[in-house]
Amino acid sequence: MNYLDFYKQSIDNPEKFWKEQAEKLEWYTKPETILSENDKGYPTWFVDGELNLCYLAVDKHIQDGYGEQTAIIYDSPVTQTVKKYTFNEVKEQVAKLAGGLTSLGVKKGHTAVIYMPMIPEALFAMLACARLGVTHSVVFGGFAPHELAIRIDDCKPKVILTASSGIEVDRLIAYKPLVDDALQLAEHKPKKVVILNRKLGAKVPFKKRDVDWEALVYGSEEAPCVPVKADHPSYVLYTSGTTGKPKGIVRDTGGYATALRFSMEYIYGVKQDEVFWAASDVGWVVGHSYIVYGPLLNRNATIVFEGKPIRTPDASTFWRVIAEHNVSVMFTAPTAIRAIKKEDPNGEFIKQYDLSNLRTQFLAGERCDVATLEWYREHIPIPTIDHWWQTESGWPMIANLMGVEYLPIKPGSAGKAVTGYDIRIFNENGEELGPNEEGYVVIKLPLPPGTLMDLWKDHIRFRAGYLDKFPGYYFSGDGGYKDDEGYIYITGRVDDVINVAGHRLSTAEMEEIVASHHAVAECAVVGINDELKGQIPLALVVTKAGETIEQFQLEYEIVQLVREQIGAVASLRKVIVVQRLPKTRSGKILRKLLRNIADGVEFQIPSTIDDPAIIDEVKDEFLQHKIGVFK
Ligand code: COA
Ligand code: AMP
C-alpha cells in the first residue's frame, strides 16, 4: 500500500474511510451515522453506534478462542516480579472487580478516580470501569495530594481506586496517606475508597469509607459488559494547560476504539498476538492508549513495567525486558534513551541481549533530538520512528505509518501527517504558510475519530483553547514547519506548557505556587533546555522590599513548596533571585526572552521592551548561577 493514496482517501472521503475501519470492530449496534455534529456544533463520530471497550479488549478475544493467550505481562524490577495474565485471567479479575464496584453503587454514567502505581491492577481498574460504562480518570501516581484533590473536585468521582504503595527506584511511596490528604483538601468526598494492599510495608491508615480490594473482588459476582453509545465518555484525563487549572480531556468510546485499533495495525504495524511494549505510565495518555486499550483491542500482549530505564537496577533493564518477553514493537520517550545513553554510551549492555525480535522502536512525548535518534540507530539498527501527538489527540497525528509504507526517515522530523489529520502551518493571522516557514501547527476540522470530544464540564475553555484562535481548525499549541516533501518538524510549544522528561507540565501553575511564597513579590517560571530531561523549569523571583531571606533558604522553601503542591515530578530545582524581570512597557513579563537567553538562542530584542539594559542584567545573573548555556 502507498502512504500518499491511503492518506488522500482519508482526507477526501473521511466518512467512507472511517466507516470501513469502524466495521472491523464488533459493535452491539453498528453505527449508521458516521460523522455528524453534537449539540454544541462540534464534529462527532459514530453517534448511533453502541459498543463496550472492555468487551472489545478482553471478552471478545475469549469468545474468539484466545482465552489462554497472554494479555498482560507484569515485569517489575523494583519488586523482582514477573507475572503473566491470560485473557481468561484478566477477564475474571476485571469482571469481579466490576461486580464489586456495582455492589458499591457505582454504575454507568458515574466517574471513578484511579490513583495507582504501574501494576496490573491499575489496568483491571480501568477495564472494570469501561465494562460498566463508568468514566475513569486516572491520576499519575507522581502527582501530590493537591493535584489529586483538584482532579477529584473537577470530575467528582463516586469512588477512588488506589493501592497501598508504589516504588520509586528504591523508595517506597505510601499512596493511601496521599489519597487521605487529597480527600481532606477536596470539597467533593467520594463515598468509597477501594485499596489494594500490596503488603510491601507501607502504612495503610484505615478510614470508614475504605474498602479492601481483595475482599471486594473475592466476594463479588462477575459483572457483564454494559453497552454504551459511541460518544459516551470513556475517560477524562487531565493535562497541563496554560493556567494553574489542569484541563480534563474527554475521550469518546466508539471513535477511540476505531482509531486505536487502526493505529496498532497501520501506524505501529503490529500483528495480533505479538508483544507490544509502551514504557510509560497509565497516568499519561500513552499509558491509556498504548499500555491498555490499543494493544488489548488488537489482541497483543502488553507489558506493565514497574521500573525506570536506569537504576532498576541499571541501564540494561529495557534490553532485558525486550529480550525476555519477545517484544516486537516498542514505544518510549527520547528522555529514557538519553538516560540509558548517559549510563552506557557505548551500548555495552545492548550487546548482552538478543534483540532480534524487536522490529520497530517508536519515540514520542517530546522532541526527539537527532543525537539520540542516531545513537539508537547505531546500536540497534532498526527503524526508529519519532512520532508526534498529544493527550488531546489520543493517538498519533504525525508519524511514519509502518503498517502502510515505511518512508525514509528525516532526523528532526516526526514524519508525515497521519491519515485523517489535515495538518497545516499558519501564521498569527491564520494564513497558511509555505514549505519550510515556521508557524503554528493546526489541523483542519473535523479531526479523525478518537480525538478529544470536549473538556470536562468546560466547553467554553475547550472552544477558547483549541477552536477560536483559527476558526475551522484545531490549534495544537505547538509550533513547527513542513518541508516541500510534506515532512513536518515540530519546534516546540508556543505557550506556557513545558515537557520535563516526557511529562507535560504548566509553568503558569508553577508560577502560581512560587508566587504564593510570602517573600516573593513577583516571579517567572520558564522551561529551559536540559540535556537529559529535554526541558526543566527555572524560577526567577523578585523578593518583596525589605525581605531578608537568604537565597539558598528561599530556593529550598520554593522547591519544597512545588514538590508538595505538584509533586517531585515537576523537577523544579533552580530558583534565582533577581532585582527585576524583563517586561514590556505595559508590564507583561517577557518569558520567551528569558528562555532564549538561557538556551543561547538568537533573538531580536522585542520592540515593546521596557528597558533593553535588562538583557545584560539577566545574562549576568545566568552566568553567576550557571544557568543554561552559561554553565
Ligand atoms: N511516583 C512518585 N514519585 C515519582 C513518580 C511516581 N510515579 N515518578 C517520578 N517521581 C519522582 C521521582 O522519584 C523524582 O523524585 P526526586 O526528585 O526526589 O528524585 C522526580 O519525581 C522526578 O522524576 P523523573 O522525571 O522520572 O526523573 P528521574 O531522574 O527519576 O528519572 C528518567 C529520569 C529520564 C529516567 C525518567 O524521567 C524516565 O524514565 N522518563 C521517561 C518518561 C516517560 O516515559 N514519560 C511518558 C511519556 S511517553
Ligand atoms: P502530552 O499531552 O503529554 O502527550 O504532550 C504533548 C506535547 O508533547 C505536544 O504538544 C508536544 O509539544 C510534545 N511532543 C509530543 N511528541 C512530540 C514529538 N514527537 N516531537 C516534538 N514534540 C512532541
Side-chain angles (χ1 to χ4, degrees):
M1 206 181 331
N2 156 307
Y3 158 78
L4 204 58
D5 289 347
F6 197 51
Y7 175 73
K8 274 192 176 150
Q9 283 172 27
S10 75
I11 300 299
D12 294 346
N13 199 343
E15 290 196 58
K16 179 170 178 282
F17 187 89
W18 292 112
K19 182 174 190 277
E20 276 170 27
Q21 296 307 325
E23 276 167 2
K24 295 181 183 172
L25 299 175
E26 196 171 310
W27 299 74
Y28 297 115
T29 312
K30 265 201 178 167
E32 296 287 333
T33 308
I34 304 303
L35 179 60
S36 54
E37 278 190 353
N38 64 16
D39 56 358
K40 291 165 186 151
Y42 186 70
T44 182
W45 293 92
F46 314 123
V47 268
D48 54 356
E50 278 193 316
L51 73 172
N52 182 285
L53 263 186
C54 178
Y55 169 76
L56 294 173
V58 184
D59 301 51
K60 168 147 196 341
H61 307 315
I62 297 171
Q63 273 175 26
D64 291 348
Y66 299 100
E68 284 306 298
Q69 188 190 306
T70 302
I72 296 176
I73 302 170
Y74 169 53
D75 189 307
S76 167
V78 293
T79 57
Q80 306 205 344
T81 313
V82 173
K83 195 169 174 196
K84 297 184 182 180
Y85 296 81
T86 62
F87 281 105
N88 281 330
E89 287 165 333
V90 171
K91 187 200 156 208
E92 188 187 348
Q93 291 294 322
V94 170
K96 286 188 131 200
L97 179 59
L101 291 174
T102 307
S103 71
L104 299 179
V106 183
K107 56 177 195 267
K108 178 170 159 182
H110 288 160
T111 52
V113 159
I114 298 171
Y115 183 66
M116 295 187 72
M118 278 298 289
I119 53 177
E121 288 81 357
L123 280 67
F124 300 161
M126 293 165 77
L127 290 163
C129 288
R131 192 171 189 87
L132 298 176
V134 170
T135 302
H136 61 63
S137 185
V138 184
V139 180
F140 174 58
F143 280 131
H146 170 74
E147 287 292 316
L148 180 55
I150 293 175
R151 288 155 174 79
I152 291 171
D153 276 339
D154 199 64
C155 75
K156 302 194 170 33
K158 275 274 170 222
V159 63
I160 297 183
L161 294 114
T162 189
S164 52
S165 60
I167 300 172
E168 257 299 290
V169 185
D170 49 8
R171 201 168 72 209
L172 193 67
I173 310 222
Y175 274 46
K176 178 59 185 7
L178 301 177
V179 172
D180 289 342
D181 288 352
L183 287 176
Q184 197 102 45
L185 293 170
E187 275 175 27
H188 173 79
K189 312 283 180 200
K191 289 242 163 54
K192 296 288 174 198
V193 176
V194 180
I195 308 135
L196 176 83
N197 193 343
R198 299 184 71 191
K199 304 188 181 89
L200 296 174
K203 267 197 189 155
V204 194
F206 184 80
K207 305 256 187 245
K208 254 175 46 198
R209 61 178 173 240
D210 295 345
V211 177
D212 179 68
W213 183 302
E214 268 183 39
L216 183 72
V217 169
Y218 183 76
S220 298
E221 297 287 317
E222 291 193 5
C225 294
V226 177
V228 299
K229 286 268 193 247
D231 62 353
H232 180 81
S234 57
Y235 64 79
V236 184
L237 180 58
Y238 289 87
T239 190
S240 300
T242 53
T243 69
K245 190 171 177 269
K247 304 191 278 196
I249 304 295
V250 182
R251 190 86 56 215
D252 73 342
T253 303
Y256 191 49
T258 305
L260 289 187
R261 209 219 54 84
F262 171 85
S263 67
M264 293 305 290
E265 181 179 347
Y266 294 102
I267 299 177
Y268 295 103
V270 210
K271 297 181 200 76
Q272 292 190 320
D273 73 29
E274 287 187 318
V275 181
F276 183 85
W277 180 24
S280 180
D281 188 288
V282 287
W284 307 115
V285 69
V286 176
H288 283 64
S289 296
Y290 296 111
I291 293 175
V292 189
Y293 295 114
L296 294 179
L297 281 168
N298 200 46
R299 194 163 50 75
N300 294 117
T302 182
I303 295 188
V304 175
F305 173 69
E306 189 181 25
K308 296 231 173 192
I310 51 170
R311 294 185 289 144
T312 60
D314 55 33
S316 73
T317 314
F318 271 23
W319 321 128
R320 174 192 62 77
V321 172
I322 293 169
E324 206 170 301
H325 304 304
N326 274 322
V327 173
S328 296
V329 177
M330 195 210 171
F331 179 155
T332 192
T335 189
I337 305 300
R338 285 197 296 271
I340 294 172
K341 177 178 150 209
K342 195 161 167 236
E343 302 277 307
D344 182 21
N346 300 319
E348 295 302 333
F349 282 128
I350 296 174
K351 296 176 194 144
Q352 295 170 20
Y353 292 92
D354 175 7
L355 305 181
S356 55
N357 204 50
L358 185 67
R359 209 166 48 238
T360 322
Q361 175 69 58
F362 282 87
L363 298 168
E366 56 173 331
R367 215 180 74 78
C368 180
D369 55 290
V370 174
T372 302
L373 187 84
E374 298 297 3
W375 182 86
Y376 193 99
R377 296 210 296 189
E378 181 192 335
H379 294 284
I380 308 178
I382 57 171
T384 311
I385 313 290
D386 182 10
H387 63 322
W388 174 79
W389 53 297
Q390 309 176 305
T391 307
E392 287 84 346
S393 68
W395 63 289
M397 299 186 278
I398 302 176
N400 203 322
L401 277 74
M402 293 304 288
V404 180
E405 182 189 1
Y406 175 35
L407 298 173
I409 290 174
K410 291 195 186 181
S413 164
K416 296 195 182 187
V418 166
T419 30
Y421 292 97
D422 184 352
I423 301 183
R424 316 274 180 103
I425 309 293
F426 276 7
N427 69 12
E428 185 63 38
N429 303 323
E431 291 149 354
E432 190 169 354
L433 296 175
N436 301 312
E437 287 187 291
E438 188 175 341
Y440 299 111
V441 180
V442 302
I443 305 162
K444 193 168 188 291
L445 297 178
L447 296 181
T451 54
L452 80 172
M453 270 205 314
D454 207 340
L455 291 183
W456 185 253
K457 309 247 184 275
D458 201 350
H459 188 67
I460 292 174
R461 192 178 180 194
F462 171 66
R463 289 219 156 258
Y466 301 107
L467 306 177
D468 289 350
K469 192 170 170 68
F470 302 113
Y473 293 81
Y474 165 84
F475 172 52
S476 70
D478 276 298
Y481 61 94
K482 218 189 253 191
D483 73 9
D484 38 20
E485 290 183 309
Y487 281 80
I488 304 167
Y489 296 73
I490 299 294
T491 49
R493 297 288 306 192
V494 295
D495 55 17
D496 297 333
V497 169
I498 59 170
N499 220 301
V500 182
H503 308 133
R504 177 164 158 183
L505 299 161
S506 158
T507 53
E509 182 171 16
M510 286 188 224
E511 264 181 26
E512 277 181 22
I513 297 168
V514 176
S516 71
H517 188 282
H518 64 82
V520 173
E522 60 175 344
C523 65
V525 176
V526 293
I528 62 169
N529 289 342
D530 180 74
E531 230 177 279
L532 175 67
K533 298 195 174 188
Q535 280 186 304
I536 46 164
L538 164 74
L540 288 94
V541 303
V542 177
T543 52
K544 286 180 182 157
E547 188 51 68
T548 54
I549 189 166
E550 293 284 348
Q551 149 99 33
F552 75 90
Q553 181 65 23
L554 182 62
E555 178 170 63
Y556 173 79
E557 288 179 16
I558 288 178
V559 166
Q560 286 310 316
L561 207 57
V562 171
R563 287 175 76 92
E564 278 162 28
Q565 302 259 315
I566 298 180
V569 72
S571 297
L572 176 71
R573 296 234 160 79
K574 201 83 203 151
V575 180
I576 60 177
V577 177
V578 293
Q579 293 302 314
R580 57 182 184 145
L581 293 165
K583 288 187 184 170
T584 62
R585 280 186 288 277
S586 60
K588 200 167 165 274
I589 298 172
L590 291 162
R591 294 181 180 80
K592 191 168 173 200
L593 178 74
L594 286 168
R595 234 169 42 214
N596 286 340
I597 297 175
D599 293 343
V601 171
E602 263 188 53
F603 60 87
Q604 282 201 320
I605 300 174
S607 58
T608 53
I609 196 165
D610 180 35
D611 177 8
I614 183 99
I615 293 177
D616 285 332
E617 274 177 46
V618 169
K619 283 185 180 167
D620 281 349
E621 294 285 359
F622 285 179
L623 195 63
Q624 206 186 324
H625 291 93
K626 299 190 169 56
I627 301 293
V629 290
F630 298 90
K631 257 187 204 140

